[in-house]
Amino acid sequence: MQVTLTPKKAFKVPVEAEAIKPDNFAGKGKSEIESIALWHGNKEVKLGSLFDVKVEGVDKEGAKIVIEGDASRIKRIGEGMTSGEITINGNVDMHCGAMMSGGKVIVKGDADAWAGREMRGGELVVEGNAGNYLGAGYWGVEKGMRGGVIRVKGDAGDYVGGHMGGGEIIVKGSAGLLPGLNMSGGKIIIEGDVTLPGGEMKNGMIVIKGKVLEMLPSFRFEGTEIIDSLKLKKFTGDLTRGGSGTLYVNIIPEE
Amino acid sequence: MELLIKNGVVYDPLNEICGEKMDICVKDDKIVSKVKSPKVIDADGKLVMPGGVDIHAHIAGGKINAGRLLRPEDGRKGTEPRGKLTRACTGYSVPNTYATGYRYAKMGYTFVMEPATPPLLARHTHEELIDTPILDNAILALLDNNWMTMEYVKSGETKKLAAYVAWMIKAVKAYGVKIVNPGGDEAWGWGKNVNIDDSVPNFDVTPRDIIGSLAEANEMLNLPHSIHIHCNDLGHPGNYETTLKSFDVIKGRSNKNRQVMHATHVQFHSYGGSSWKDFESKVDEIAKYVNVKKHVTIDMGQVMLGDTTTMTADGPLEYGLHTITGRKWTNLDVELETGGGITPFLYSSKVAVNTIQWAIGLELALLIKDPWKIVLTTDHPNGAPFITYPIVISLLMSRQKREEVMANVHKAINKRAILPSIERELDWNDIAIMTRAAPARILGLDRYGKGHLGVGADADVAIYDVSPEEKEAKKIQSALLRAKYTIKGGEIVVKDGEIVAVPEGRTYWVNPEFDGKPTKDMLGDLTGKFEKYYSVNLANYPVQDAYLPHPIEIKTKV
C-alpha cells in the first residue's frame, strides 16, 4: 500500500506530524487517514485539512508513505515508527525519524536538526545535508541513538551522534563540532572534515577520513592502522572520562 | 457552604475512631457537629479519612528546580495538557509545581512539608509554593551546617543559638529546624565528609555537638515540631551504628506534646555490613531502639525499584553516588549556610543492594510496633516519587503482594534482608495513622486542625472508593491514586479522581518569641557576618510578607 501526501500549501507555522508514520496508516482507507489528528501550531487539526491524500492499495502492514512537495516545516515525521517506509521528496523539518525502531526513511533533500534522534533500529537516509544533533539524544537524555543506521550523503551539523550508545552513522561530507560527544557505543564514520571529535567519549568508534581541524589533547596515540585502504592514526580516549573509545583520524593539525 | 459526608467508614485515629460508620459535617472550612442545609456526599461503604499529611517531600525550592534543569528528559514523562481548570503538567521524579499539587490532591493529600530549604534561597521556595496549587504547606530551614550555628555550638552560647534560630525561622517564614548531615556540607567544601564524632574542619565542633545544641535551642523556643534530622553517614554500609548514636545524643530530653527528634528517611540509615558486598538490613537494631524509646520518631524513606532523581543537602553523598553510577551530577553551595547535590539514580531489581534497600523501608514500617512512631514517606524523590505511595501502602497491607515482588528480585533479599520472614499486614487504621494522624502530631499540626476530623479541625477530607475489607493490592492502589473525593478547606477539589477546583494553598510559619540580651548580642554577630561574608545585605535577607499570600502564623513563647 502506498499513501501519497501533498501539502496544500507551504506552512509558515510548523506542523507536528508524529502521527505520519506507516504504523498509523497501515490498513486504513483515504477517509480514515484524512481524519488522523495532527497539531498545527497550537491547534489540533485533521490531516486532510493540511494534505491532499492519495491511497493506492490496502495492506495491514508495511505501508509506504510518500510526501511530495515542501516538508521543511513539518516536524517529527516517522517519529517512533517500527516498520514500513517513508520517502520525503524534498526538505524536512526537525526530529525526522526520531526514536524509530524499524523500517526506512529516505529524505531526498535536507533534514533539519535531531534527525534520527534516539533511534533504536531501522534506517534513515538523508540525500542532502543533515542539521545539528543527528542521531543524538534530546536535552538531558543520557543515551542517544542505540541502534539502526543513518546515512547522510551531504554534510552534517554539530554534535553528530551525541551520547550515542549503539548503531552506525555514516556522513559522506563534513560535520561540525564535537561529533560523538559523550558516546558510549556504536560507530560514526565521517568522510570529510570535523572539529574536536570524541569529546568525553567512553566507548565506541569514530573514524574521520578527512581533516580534523582541531584535536582534543585528551586522546592517547596508539599507532597507525589501515582502514578502507586509508592509513589512519589510532587514538584511545577520552582520557578525561577514563574512556576506552577508539578514534581513527587521517589528518590532524600540526603541533 | 455546608457539606454532609454520609455513612462513610471513618478512620480518624487522633479521635480514636477506627472504621466506624458515621457522618462528617463541614461548614465553610471547618469540621462541625451539625449542618442545616448541606450538599450531601454519599460515602456509603467508602473509606473516609482526614486529608493526607506528608511530613517530608522535596517539592519546591532551589534544589528541586536544579533537579528539573538537570533532568529535562524527566519532563517528557507524565505530561498532561492543560485542562479547563488545570495548568499543563510535566515530570515524574521532578514534576512541575502544578503536577505536584494536582497529583497529591488526587491521592487525598492536603498538606506537604518541604523539608530542606537553604535559608538564603527561601524566597524562591515560597515562590514555587505559591505556584503549587491546593496543598497547604510549610518549609523547614537548614540550620546545621551554618557558620553562625557552628560558632555558637562551639562557644556553648545556647541562648544566642536559640536567638539565631528564632530570628532565622521568622526571617525566612519557616516552620522548623532541619539538620542534614550535620557538619558534612561544611567539610564537603574542603572535599571531605564527617561522621558523628569527627571534628568539622575549621570549626572544631562535632556533629554530635551540633545535634545536641540545636535540639536544646529548638526546645528552648518551644517550637511546634522537634528537630528534623537527616543523620550523618547516609547511604553507607554499616551506618546503622551512626544512626543509633545520633538518636542517643538527646535521649534524656522529653516534651509533653511530642518527640524531641524526628529522624527522616531512616531506610537510608539502617544499613549493616562493611562494604557493598556484605551490605545488609539492620532494621532489627533500629526497630529495637525505636520500639522502646519515646524521644524519637522516624519516617520511612521507602525506595521503590525504578528510575528517580536523588537530591539532598548532603553534598558529599550525592558526589559519591555520581562516582558509583557515572551519571550526570550537579552540586550546590549556599554561602555560609549549606550545600547540596543532585544525580539521577536507578534502583534496579537486579542489583542486590537496591533490592535490600527496597526491603528495608518496608521492614521499618512493619517491625516498628507503634505506627505513631513511623510515617510513610519515600523521601520524594530520593527513594521514589510521591506518586508511588499507593503502591507502598498496598505492600504494607498485603503479604501476598510483597511475595509477588520478592519472587522477581535479586535473591540476596532472602539472606540479607528481614522482609521475607515478616508476616505482619497493616490495616487501614495503621495506614491512617502513618499517613495523616502521626505526621500531623509529630509536626505539632494536630493542634492547628490538621490530621484529624474532630469538630473544629480543618475540613480536609479524603474519601476513597474502596471497601475496608478489600485485600486485592491493585484495587487498593487504584482507589488511593484517584480519590473519590478530596475536600480541602471545605471545598471539593477532587471528584472521581479528577481535579474540580484549584484553590491556593496556605503556608504555615512559626513566629518564635525570643527577645532580650541574647537576641541583641546575636544580631551584633549576625551583622558582622553579613558585612564580612554574605553576598546580600542583612536588610534584604528576610522574606517579605508578599511571598506568603495565604500565611498561617503560629506564635510560640518561651
Side-chain angles (χ1 to χ4, degrees), chain B residues 5-12 17-23 43-49 428 453 462-464 466-469:
Chain B
I5 302 163
K6 227 173 153 46
N7 291 328
V9 183
V10 177
Y11 286 88
D12 179 11
I17 293 165
C18 177
E20 268 176 56
K21 190 166 186 171
M22 60 188 283
D23 298 343
D44 194 17
K46 297 181 176 61
L47 281 183
V48 176
M49 294 183 184
W428 284 113
L453 296 174
I463 304 172
Y464 299 112
V466 62
S467 152
E469 279 80 44

Side-chain angles (χ1 to χ4, degrees), chain B residues 208-226:
Chain B
R208 180 187 295 278
D209 303 334
I210 298 173
I211 298 167
S213 300
L214 277 173
E216 201 178 335
N218 194 99
E219 298 308 306
M220 200 182 278
L221 294 170
N222 200 16
L223 299 180
H225 186 36
S226 63

Side-chain angles (χ1 to χ4, degrees), chain B residues 359-370:
Chain B
I360 287 174
L362 299 172
E363 290 167 5
L364 283 166
L366 296 165
L367 290 179
I368 289 171
K369 290 174 192 148
D370 180 0

Side-chain angles (χ1 to χ4, degrees), chain B residues 149-161 205 213 216:
Chain B
T149 298
M150 287 191 288
E151 285 176 6
Y152 287 148
V153 171
K154 189 186 173 189
S155 65
E157 296 165 287
T158 312
K159 280 195 175 160
K160 276 163 87 174
L161 176 61
V205 293
S213 300
E216 201 178 335

Side-chain angles (χ1 to χ4, degrees), chain B residues 10-12 15 24 31 48-51 451-455 457-458 460-461:
Chain B
V10 177
Y11 286 88
D12 179 11
N15 293 305
I24 301 286
I31 306 285
V48 176
M49 294 183 184
H452 71 103
L453 296 174
V455 170
D458 286 354
D460 300 345
V461 191

Side-chain angles (χ1 to χ4, degrees), chain B residues 179 196 207-219 226-229 243-255 258-263 289 293-297:
Chain B
I179 300 174
I196 184 153
R208 180 187 295 278
D209 303 334
I210 298 173
I211 298 167
S213 300
L214 277 173
E216 201 178 335
N218 194 99
E219 298 308 306
S226 63
I227 54 166
H228 190 114
I229 180 171
T243 308
L244 294 177
K245 281 182 202 164
S246 307
F247 292 177
D248 247 2
V249 172
I250 52 167
K251 66 180 169 187
R253 295 195 162 274
S254 66
N255 179 310
R258 54 155 171 80
Q259 77 295 341
V260 289
M261 171 188 272
H262 179 76
Y289 186 100
K293 300 282 197 225
K294 286 196 174 135
H295 70 283
V296 63
T297 56

